[in-house]
Amino acid sequence: MKGGKAHQTCAFHSRSSVLTSLVNMNDPVSNSLSVKGCFEPQERCLQMPLENLELTCGYLLEEDLKCLYQYPSLGYLKHLNLSFVLLFRISLAPLGALLEKVAASLETLIFEGCQIHYSQLSAILPGLSRCSQLTTFYFGRNCMSMDALKDLLRHTSGLSKLSLETYPALEESLNSLVHVDWEIFTPLRAELMCTLREVRQPKRIFIGPTPCPSCDSSPSEELELHLCC
């Protein structure tokens, strides 16, 4: 991810709940922390103010989220990427608090593949709704019901700068093999779009399974969003 100023870059790995650092790559001309796998933020990596924070492909406990929220260096984040960090079965209240903390600066938010369940969603919605600078929001591959996703979309009413957003296929549209039933999904997606257009006009939006089951592509800044099947 790109940052406007100098970045501080680190990479981690996590295999258990408490953040345990395996790799630490510091770049004096950068303002970002990138961690893959087993997460334990080292003190020296979180002393300088960060614009970019990437924790990917691991899992976190509620205590870990509280730890991240308490770091003053995260107060001005522009990019937060938690893709494929498993967040199910824990309270997301600390994550919601972190979103409120960085609401004035956050531009990119990636919760792709976090397995967030709709029962957890209410904890992050107030913080999300205040992220007025947000331009990119990835929320695909999470477990969402129709009512929960409608609630999420309504909470984005004030996010006028959103130019790219992705959401998962609805739980109600999945068959016994957890594949999308397109006859069910298509009208539900249309209903979601109506709900969204009642509160704001989306620019580029993708609602559905990723990658695309027909062309195996995923939404990105470079790819026109579509469902080709």
Side-chain angles (χ1 to χ4, degrees):
M1 290 186 181
K2 297 177 181 178
K5 299 180 181 178
H7 297 280
Q8 177 184 324
T9 305
C10 298
F12 289 77
H13 285 270
S14 166
R15 64 177 159 237
S16 72
S17 59
V18 243
L19 306 169
T20 290
S21 160
L22 296 182
V23 183
N24 179 11
M25 301 181 337
N26 280 320
D27 182 350
V29 291
S30 94
N31 231 10
S32 58
L33 176 63
S34 204
V35 183
K36 187 176 182 180
C38 199
F39 318 131
E40 178 176 326
Q42 295 185 357
E43 291 291 333
R44 65 192 184 90
C45 292
L46 291 171
Q47 294 305 312
M48 298 292 291
L50 296 175
E51 289 185 356
N52 305 337
L53 177 62
E54 298 184 15
L55 303 175
T56 62
C57 303
Y59 71 91
L60 294 170
L61 292 181
E62 186 175 347
E63 290 78 6
D64 302 327
L65 293 177
K66 288 179 180 177
C67 173
L68 289 174
Y69 164 70
Q70 292 168 359
Y71 276 99
S73 59
L74 302 184
Y76 299 96
L77 279 180
K78 289 186 176 181
H79 309 285
L80 176 60
N81 180 0
L82 297 182
S83 55
F84 299 99
V85 171
L86 304 183
L87 296 175
F88 62 95
R89 297 180 182 173
I90 66 172
S91 168
L92 298 186
L95 183 57
L98 177 60
L99 290 180
E100 294 203 36
K101 181 177 181 178
V102 301
S105 59
L106 196 65
E107 298 175 6
T108 303
L109 180 59
I110 303 178
F111 288 157
E112 182 83 10
C114 293
Q115 296 188 20
I116 296 172
H117 191 265
Y118 55 79
S119 61
Q120 301 170 283
L121 193 60
S122 61
I124 62 174
L125 291 182
L128 175 65
S129 68
R130 293 180 173 87
C131 294
S132 58
Q133 303 304 308
L134 202 63
T135 62
T136 304
F137 179 42
Y138 281 75
F139 196 71
R141 304 190 196 196
N142 290 294
C143 183
M144 289 293 114
S145 67
M146 182 70 165
D147 288 343
L149 199 46
K150 279 186 174 182
D151 194 22
L152 170 57
L153 293 176
R154 291 189 184 106
H155 274 81
T156 67
S157 61
L159 309 186
S160 60
K161 294 187 177 182
L162 265 181
S163 58
L164 175 60
E165 50 195 305
T166 72
Y167 303 98
L170 299 162
E171 184 182 60
E172 291 89 340
S173 69
L174 304 180
N175 60 26
S176 59
L177 298 176
V178 201
H179 295 156
V180 171
D181 183 322
W182 294 98
E183 289 187 4
I184 296 175
F185 175 70
T186 301
L188 291 179
R189 184 179 59 182
E191 186 176 341
L192 285 172
M193 290 303 299
C194 288
T195 298
L196 180 57
R197 289 189 176 109
E198 288 175 359
V199 297
R200 65 177 171 84
Q201 292 302 310
K203 298 179 178 70
R204 288 191 297 165
I205 182 171
F206 181 99
I207 303 175
T210 52
C212 174
S214 288
C215 66
D216 200 39
S217 61
S218 296
S220 71
E221 293 287 357
E222 293 76 28
L223 181 67
E224 188 66 27
L225 302 189
H226 67 286
L227 278 176
C228 54
C229 48

